[in-house]
Amino acid sequence: MRMAELSRESGVPVATIKFYLREGLLPPGERTSPNQARYSQAHVRRLRLIRAMLDVGGLSLAQVTRVLAAVDSDELGQHDIFGVAQETVTQPGLDPDDDSESANAARERVRKLIADHGWLVPLDSPVVGALAKVVATIAELEPVLLEQIDDRADLIGRIADLDVSLLDGKSLEQQVEIVVAGTVLGDALMSAMRRVAQIDRSARRFGYSGDKASKHR
Amino acid sequence: MRMAELSRESGVPVATIKFYLREGLLPPGERTSPNQARYSQAHVRRLRLIRAMLDVGGLSLAQVTRVLAAVDSDELGQHDIFGVAQETVTQPGLDPDDDSESANAARERVRKLIADHGWLVPLDSPVVGALAKVVATIAELEPVLLEQIDDRADLIGRIADLDVSLLDGKSLEQQVEIVVAGTVLGDALMSAMRRVAQIDRSARRFGYSGDKASKHR
DNA sequence: CGTATTAGATAGCTACGCTATCCATAAGTC
DNA sequence: GACTTATGGATAGCGTAGCTATCTAATACG
């Protein structure tokens, strides 16, 4: 497959593909002569993955770069797969040097949450720091949201069960792909479904009107 | 409170506050003379809300602007609250003119999902379109993720129950604030908790090692 | 009265994610 | 083999987002 076809297949403009090649997001094609190359189905798939992470997952190019680098390096152990995918996606959490009252309160709340649920997670991991930051933000803005955090954690735990069960009987290579997609696109899927479900619950509680008139103009 | 103090209280630089004022994100202060103004605690809170939506929620300035406009307009009915918050946050979904096989398959899958769960949601609403887009993307990239979508939908539905139950006994004004924060920050909270829970489940399944040595370098 | 702030206007800046142009070589076409 | 088209690679530029900096005239404060 040559450049034009790769572009057509993937829906990504040629100039953009060249840009991704320069940035190392897309591996170079197989050389057929000093300055010609041939691309494969793997390139199409890689392009689709890039676009999915950018458009649907909402990642930055830099994050996509890191995720792909992790995918390509094959020195991952079973247990690290999630960590690697997550750490490249997780945004900076609570500053560890932040010793303010609210920061400590948030950290404590998260510590207790993890302990209460018996979660086996190092407290100094980036994901925990990120969670602490979210909790701190919510605590000072709309603390009611934290009232049922334990119930939420139970449900989320069961979602995580589903996530992990997906890996059953898969090769390590497949697992990497599933975890990456599951981490990035999984967030989008959960958010999108939650919104739909909220509309349903809200309609049941406050009354459903199928016509547009009731919608905000 | 004058500008300098507002800046100190909120942690937002003066230049940035002025920028937000220009953009209409922050309402003008109360005039004390033709070119002086005084700010209140409400301004501090508003600033914190803006920063939370930008930094934690990951919204764009334009989205924040729309959310705030909706918050400020008080012509919302009970049932519309979710819709308004969501529609300003929900990114463009599947193009309705897209008649490709994959797009139709995704739409059908979503339609069935909604029907199976008895959700009361207009199929042409933006949130459903957004969900269809996510489903379409996952379907062509990592379709295994869709295998347990019904189980996920059940759990998400129960999360939505929690979301809606938060509004019990709250004034309409409070409800608006809760829904806005719950929509934007709630996504961040769920994602962060899910990552932590995934680490736990993964550790249980594949073995936990508390030391850093097992982590990706 | 003098120094420090302020509101408001305008201009500039950095990062991101492309997009466009150029050129020399190679491929496809007759 | 001549000729048109496509390609790889390099370099430059562009549009948007989200601030940041500077300036000015008016006000506040001690």
Side-chain angles (χ1 to χ4, degrees):
Chain A
M1 185 187 311
R2 298 179 57 194
M3 183 56 93
E5 193 181 351
L6 178 60
S7 171
R8 237 180 303 109
E9 285 274 308
S10 62
V12 178
V14 170
T16 305
I17 295 179
K18 286 184 173 187
F19 169 69
Y20 291 159
L21 283 169
R22 278 200 300 285
E23 298 292 300
L25 293 186
L26 194 64
E30 191 191 348
R31 288 287 137 65
T32 63
S33 55
N35 67 345
Q36 291 286 295
R38 191 166 293 161
Y39 306 96
S40 68
Q41 215 51 43
H43 287 90
V44 178
R45 188 177 156 75
R46 172 60 66 98
L47 277 174
R48 279 208 256 263
L49 177 59
I50 293 171
R51 300 316 306 229
M53 293 200 276
L54 288 176
D55 296 345
V56 178
L59 298 199
S60 68
L61 258 194
Q63 285 175 310
V64 172
T65 306
R66 272 180 291 147
V67 171
L68 293 180
V71 167
D72 292 340
S73 98
D74 45 321
E75 26 176 297
L76 301 174
Q78 284 272 32
H79 176 231
D80 297 348
I81 297 181
F82 276 101
V84 171
Q86 289 173 351
E87 283 173 32
T88 57
V89 160
T90 301
Q91 53 256 68
L94 211 50
D95 178 3
D97 298 339
D98 185 345
D99 215 34
S100 68
E101 198 181 331
S102 63
N104 284 327
R107 266 188 282 261
E108 173 57 20
R109 192 145 204 168
V110 169
R111 196 200 56 70
K112 186 168 184 310
L113 181 81
I114 290 173
D116 287 351
H117 290 263
W119 285 347
L120 252 45
V121 184
L123 287 180
D124 59 349
S125 69
V127 283
V128 172
L131 175 56
K133 177 162 192 178
V134 177
V135 168
T137 304
I138 293 179
E140 76 173 6
L141 208 65
E142 204 65 66
V144 268
L145 292 184
L146 296 176
E147 278 171 18
Q148 344 132 308
I149 196 168
D150 286 299
D151 295 327
R152 283 175 196 270
D154 285 335
L155 293 168
I156 297 266
R158 293 174 56 185
I159 288 176
D161 283 332
L162 293 177
D163 292 334
V164 172
S165 75
L166 275 175
L167 304 181
D168 267 341
K170 299 289 193 305
S171 75
L172 213 132
E173 210 173 77
Q174 287 174 315
Q175 289 189 9
V176 172
E177 289 179 7
I178 292 172
V179 167
V180 165
T183 299
V184 177
L185 303 181
D187 278 353
L189 181 64
M190 298 218 322
S191 297
M193 282 204 294
R194 175 164 164 255
R195 299 200 206 301
V196 175
Q198 281 176 341
I199 298 242
D200 165 65
R201 301 313 204 261
S202 165
R204 288 175 192 285
R205 181 166 293 218
F206 304 122
Y208 169 67
S209 50
D211 67 328
K212 300 264 181 179
S214 79
K215 293 176 70 175
H216 193 68
R217 64 221 70 126
Chain B
M1 185 185 311
R2 299 177 57 194
M3 183 55 93
E5 193 181 350
L6 177 60
S7 171
R8 235 178 305 111
E9 287 273 309
S10 63
V12 179
V14 170
T16 305
I17 295 179
K18 287 185 173 186
F19 169 70
Y20 291 160
L21 283 167
R22 280 200 299 284
E23 297 291 301
L25 293 187
L26 194 65
E30 192 192 347
R31 286 288 136 64
T32 64
S33 55
N35 67 344
Q36 291 288 296
R38 192 165 293 159
Y39 306 94
S40 68
Q41 215 51 45
H43 287 89
V44 178
R45 188 177 155 76
R46 172 58 66 100
L47 275 174
R48 282 208 254 264
L49 177 59
I50 294 171
R51 298 317 306 229
M53 293 200 279
L54 288 176
D55 296 344
V56 179
L59 300 199
S60 69
L61 258 194
Q63 285 175 310
V64 172
T65 306
R66 273 181 288 148
V67 170
L68 292 178
V71 167
D72 292 340
S73 97
D74 47 320
E75 26 176 296
L76 301 173
Q78 283 272 33
H79 176 231
D80 297 346
I81 297 181
F82 276 101
V84 172
Q86 288 173 351
E87 283 173 32
T88 57
V89 160
T90 301
Q91 51 256 72
L94 212 51
D95 179 3
D97 298 338
D98 185 346
D99 215 34
S100 66
E101 197 182 330
S102 63
N104 284 328
R107 265 189 282 264
E108 174 56 20
R109 193 145 203 169
V110 169
R111 196 201 56 69
K112 186 168 185 308
L113 182 80
I114 290 172
D116 286 350
H117 290 263
W119 285 348
L120 253 46
V121 183
L123 287 181
D124 59 349
S125 69
V127 284
V128 173
L131 176 56
K133 177 162 192 178
V134 177
V135 168
T137 304
I138 293 180
E140 76 174 8
L141 208 63
E142 204 65 65
V144 268
L145 291 183
L146 296 176
E147 278 172 16
Q148 344 132 309
I149 196 168
D150 285 298
D151 294 328
R152 283 174 195 272
D154 285 334
L155 292 168
I156 298 265
R158 293 173 57 185
I159 288 175
D161 283 331
L162 293 177
D163 292 335
V164 173
S165 75
L166 275 175
L167 304 180
D168 266 341
K170 299 290 192 307
S171 75
L172 214 131
E173 211 173 76
Q174 288 174 313
Q175 289 188 10
V176 172
E177 291 179 6
I178 292 172
V179 167
V180 166
T183 300
V184 177
L185 303 182
D187 279 353
L189 181 64
M190 296 217 322
S191 297
M193 283 203 294
R194 176 165 163 255
R195 298 199 206 301
V196 175
Q198 282 176 342
I199 298 243
D200 166 64
R201 300 313 203 261
S202 164
R204 288 174 192 285
R205 178 164 296 219
F206 303 122
Y208 168 66
S209 50
D211 66 330
K212 301 261 179 177
S214 79
K215 294 176 72 175
H216 194 66
R217 60 228 70 133

